[in-house]
Amino acid sequence: TDTDVKFDSVLLNQGSCYSASTGQFTCPVAGVYAAEIQFLSDNSVTTNHQIKLIHNGSTVHQGYSSVDSQHVGLHAFGLIDCAVNDTISVRVGNGAIYIDGGGSYSAFNVRLVG
């Protein structure tokens, strides 16, 4: 918890802005970025689940569920005003996420929108 999630399966990384070794997306140009995360909570955990969108080390948006012992979809979305070389990443603040071999229950998307 509270460390950047590192996605080992990257389907599209135009411009090589996402680093699988750090878990961070580095903004190549200044602008507004749409960032979105999606996870499935781990049903073996009996606690609340919290996921976070992180901008330059600070939480800017969160997803939360108080349902325990069940798989629950967790989602967070935000528009983030970024300068060149700002970073966007994902953290689990509480609970646990379900991870399968294909990565089909997890997603982290960042795109420049303006």
Side-chain angles (χ1 to χ4, degrees), residues 21 23 31 35 38 40 42 44-45 50 52-53 59 63 67-68 72 77 79-80 89 92-93 104 109-110:
S21 64
Q38 173 183 308
L40 188 64
D42 188 332
S44 67
V45 177
Q50 177 190 41
K52 302 175 182 181
L53 271 174
T59 301
V67 177
D68 58 19
V72 176
F77 171 83
L79 295 174
I80 305 170
S89 58
V92 176
S104 59
N109 302 297
V110 181

Side-chain angles (χ1 to χ4, degrees), residues 16-60:
S16 299
C17 299
Y18 177 76
S19 169
S21 64
T22 65
Q24 296 182 340
F25 176 91
T26 301
C27 301
V29 298
V32 176
Y33 288 79
E36 181 175 22
I37 52 176
Q38 173 183 308
F39 289 113
L40 188 64
S41 66
D42 188 332
N43 67 343
S44 67
V45 177
T46 57
T47 187
N48 300 331
H49 302 275
Q50 177 190 41
I51 56 175
K52 302 175 182 181
L53 271 174
I54 305 296
H55 177 222
N56 291 336
S58 297
T59 301
V60 290

Side-chain angles (χ1 to χ4, degrees), residues 81-92:
D81 190 13
C82 296
V84 174
N85 293 323
D86 278 7
T87 60
I88 300 172
S89 58
V90 176
R91 294 181 184 167
V92 176

